[in-house]
C-alpha cells in the first residue's frame, strides 16, 4: 500500500498522547481529583486530555471561582510532575524525534515547562529547542494561540505547518490555526484530523529537493 505523503515547512508536536504515553499518570491524578469532587471519573477523563488543568476544572465545575481552579491546578501540576511511573514513549516516537534533529519543529503542549521536561525525559525523548508551553500562552487549546506562536517563532506560515495531535482540543486548535493535522492514536480518530495514524511507527520525515519537509505516513 502506498504511503500518504504530505509536504510541510515545519512540524508542530503535541506531547501527551502524541509523543509520550502518560495516560497512567493522568488517570491516577485526575481520577483521584474526580473522586474528591464527587464527579464521575469517566466523564472527567473525557474532558481533560489536551487542555490546561484549570480550564478542565472550569468545564467540569463551572460555578467554582477561578482562583480555586488555579490553586488546584498548581497542586495537580505538582502531583503530575512528581509521578513518572508508567510513562513510556508512544511507539515510533524515539526514531521520529531522532529524524527531526536539525529540522524545523516545535513542541506545543498544554503542560507547563517543568512537567513537559520531566515527561519527555521519562520517555527518553529529546526536548526540542523550541517549546510553547502553558506559561507562554494566554489561551489554552482548543484556542490556536500556541500553534500560531510556534509557527511565528519558526518563521513559517501556518498553512505550511503540519501538526501532530491526539486530543479533541488539540486537533481543533491545529485546524483553527489553519494547519493540517495528523491525528495520532485512537483518541484522535473521532475528531476529524486531516489524516490519521495509529502511532508514529510508520511516520518518516525527510528533506525534499526544495529544502522543505516530506512526511510519509
Amino acid at each position: 500500500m502506498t504511503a500518504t505523503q504530505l509536504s510541510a515547512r515545519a512540524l508542530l508536536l503535541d506531547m501527551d498522547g502524541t509523543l509520550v504515553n502518560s495516560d497512567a499518570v493522568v488517570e491516577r491524578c485526575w481520577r483521584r481529583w474526580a473522586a474528591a469532587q464527587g464527579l464521575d471519573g469517566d466523564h472527567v477523563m473525557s474532558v481533560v486530555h489536551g487542555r490546561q488543568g484549570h480550564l478542565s476544572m472550569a468545564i467540569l465545575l463551572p460555578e467554582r471561582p477561578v482562583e480555586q481552579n488555579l490553586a488546584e491546578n498548581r497542586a495537580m501540576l505538582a502531583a503530575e510532575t512528581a509521578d513518572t511511573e508508567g510513562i513510556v514513549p508512544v511507539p515510533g516516537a524515539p526514531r521520529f524525534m531522532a529524524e527531526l534533529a536539525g529540522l524545523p519543529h516545535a513542541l506545543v503542549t498544554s503542560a507547563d515547562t517543568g512537567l513537559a521536561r520531566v515527561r519527555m525525559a521519562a520517555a527518553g525523548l529529546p526536548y526540542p529547542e523550541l517549546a510553547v508551553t502553558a506559561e507562554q500562552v494566554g489561551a489554552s487549546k482548543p484556542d490556536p494561540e500556541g500553534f500560531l506562536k510556534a509557527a511565528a517563532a519558526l518563521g513559517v506560515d501556518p498553512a505550511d505547518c503540519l501538526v501532530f495531535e491526539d486530543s479533541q482540543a488539540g486537533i481543533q486548535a491545529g485546524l483553527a490555526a489553519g494547519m493540517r493535522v495528523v491525528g495520532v492514536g485512537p483518541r484522535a480518530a473521532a475528531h476529524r484530523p486531516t489524516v490519521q495514524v495509529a502511532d508514529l511507527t510508520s511516520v518518516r520525515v525527510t528533506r525534499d529537493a526544495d529544502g522543505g519537509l516530506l512526511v510519509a505516513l
Side-chain angles (χ1 to χ4, degrees):
M1 184 172 63
T2 303
T4 298
Q5 291 192 331
L6 299 172
S7 60
R9 289 287 171 182
L11 304 188
L12 306 183
L13 315 172
D14 174 53
M15 181 180 69
D16 292 305
T18 301
L19 300 174
V20 175
N21 183 345
S22 56
D23 283 358
V25 178
V26 174
E27 289 267 347
R28 279 194 295 272
C29 291
W30 279 98
R31 285 188 182 276
R32 186 164 58 239
W33 180 86
Q37 308 305 321
L39 298 174
D40 176 73
D42 290 341
H43 176 60
V44 168
M45 295 312 302
S46 75
V47 170
V48 300
H49 291 290
R51 292 185 173 87
Q52 292 184 28
H54 67 93
L55 295 178
S56 295
M57 293 172 186
I59 291 169
L60 293 160
L61 295 171
E63 303 304 317
R64 289 211 314 183
V66 171
E67 293 76 14
Q68 186 175 353
N69 290 335
L70 291 171
E72 289 194 9
N73 185 55
R74 288 191 290 272
M76 178 69 73
L77 282 171
E80 289 191 273
T81 302
D83 186 353
T84 59
E85 184 178 353
I87 289 179
V88 294
V90 165
R95 179 204 45 76
F96 176 67
M97 293 299 291
E99 286 185 357
L100 292 186
L103 301 179
H105 68 285
L107 191 70
V108 182
T109 176
S110 294
D112 68 3
T113 300
L115 180 58
R117 286 189 176 279
V118 163
R119 286 193 174 161
M120 292 290 282
L125 299 176
Y127 196 79
E129 183 176 336
L130 176 62
V132 178
T133 57
E135 307 97 317
Q136 296 165 285
V137 296
S140 178
K141 301 171 187 177
D143 191 281
E145 180 185 355
F147 287 121
L148 293 172
K149 278 197 167 185
L154 290 168
V156 176
D157 189 275
D160 291 327
C161 293
L162 188 61
V163 168
F164 284 73
E165 265 285 0
D166 74 301
S167 70
Q168 179 180 14
I171 291 168
Q172 289 176 345
L175 294 174
M179 302 172 181
R180 293 156 296 156
V181 179
V182 178
V184 180
R187 272 196 297 267
H191 306 301
R192 299 185 178 180
T194 310
V195 294
Q196 169 78 21
V197 294
D199 53 36
L200 299 172
T201 304
S202 64
V203 180
R204 296 292 185 273
V205 184
T206 55
R207 286 275 194 191
D208 66 21
D210 296 323
L213 306 180
L214 188 62
V215 183
L217 306 171

